[in-house]
Amino acid sequence: KQEVTQIPAALSVPEGENLVLNCSFTDSAIYNLQWFRQDPGKGLTSLLLIQSSQREQTSGRLNASLDKSSGRSTLYIAASQPGDSATYLCASLSGGYNKLIFGAGTRLAVHP
Amino acid sequence: EAQVTQNPRYLITVTGKKLTVTCSQNMNHEYMSWYRQDPGLGLRQIYYSMNVEVTDKGDVPEGYKVSRKEKRNFPLILESPSPNQTSLYFCASSLTWDRSYEQYFGPGTRLTVT
């Protein structure tokens, strides 16, 4: 049974820092891995989708990598801004019909 | 604008009073699903639908019903809500059930059952 873990659970950084959020999964037979952002009281916004055949994806200041053999994905945020403050969730898709298995999330606070 | 919409966004109800949470997407997606989010338990899938008239249970289907009569709509029905169904509910959709596609989520419905 797939389990997804995110470390750290919470992170507070000053504006401008580059930071890395970690996601690990127990079943390496994943189809894809998706990173989401969740703002308080709001839905999930898809940030990046990495297919199992890919090693990384980039969108603006965000870069996500995937290493299936080690069961890990990282989300790199460059030059963090206060507007990046949110909870970041990773989710793997590894069996079943499009069922995403979510991690518990990393709550990020970027202070000016 | 491509989006998944849910209604209502907030709902307080009493035990046993039937309710429906609607979900609609305007992207012509075949696949739709429902998740609930609870503190300490994360997001868990309730039901999913691969296409019109095709639905199946997710991980936590007890106490819920769904129907998919039109491609764009996927309502979640609680026939007799109980306090343990107090949660934040999300509807999601993707182009097809094929695992290559990104999933899009609605804004969420916060349900409180007293």
Side-chain angles (χ1 to χ4, degrees), chain A residues 11-19 79-82 108-112:
Chain A
L11 186 61
S12 180
V13 300
E15 182 176 6
E17 271 203 12
N18 301 323
L19 50 97
S80 57
Q81 303 170 356
L108 173 66
V110 181
H111 49 88

Side-chain angles (χ1 to χ4, degrees), chain A residues 31-32 34 36 38 41-44 46-49 51 89 93 95-104, chain B residues 9-10 31 35 37 42-43 45 48 50 59 88 90 94 96-108:
Chain A
Y31 295 103
N32 63 49
Q34 198 166 350
F36 295 89
Q38 185 175 21
K42 300 200 174 172
L44 280 67
S46 177
L47 298 174
L48 289 164
L49 170 69
Q51 302 292 350
L89 297 159
L93 198 151
Y97 289 102
N98 264 0
K99 180 177 70 176
L100 290 169
I101 304 297
F102 282 85
Chain B
R9 293 290 314 281
Y10 304 91
Y31 183 92
Y35 290 81
Q37 185 178 34
L43 282 122
Q45 191 183 60
Y48 65 90
M50 290 194 286
D59 291 329
L88 181 58
F90 289 103
S94 64
T96 76
W97 65 267
D98 182 280
R99 296 155 182 136
S100 304
Y101 295 99
E102 189 173 6
Q103 295 201 37
Y104 298 89
F105 280 72

Side-chain angles (χ1 to χ4, degrees), chain B residues 57-91:
Chain B
K57 298 176 181 178
D59 291 329
V60 288
E62 296 76 21
Y64 304 94
K65 283 178 56 178
V66 292
S67 68
R68 187 90 180 275
K69 299 193 185 312
E70 303 169 283
K71 197 172 187 179
R72 63 182 295 132
N73 297 322
F74 189 44
L76 179 69
I77 303 159
L78 285 72
E79 295 268 3
S80 183
S82 63
N84 65 12
Q85 293 178 298
T86 292
S87 187
L88 181 58
Y89 291 86
F90 289 103
C91 180

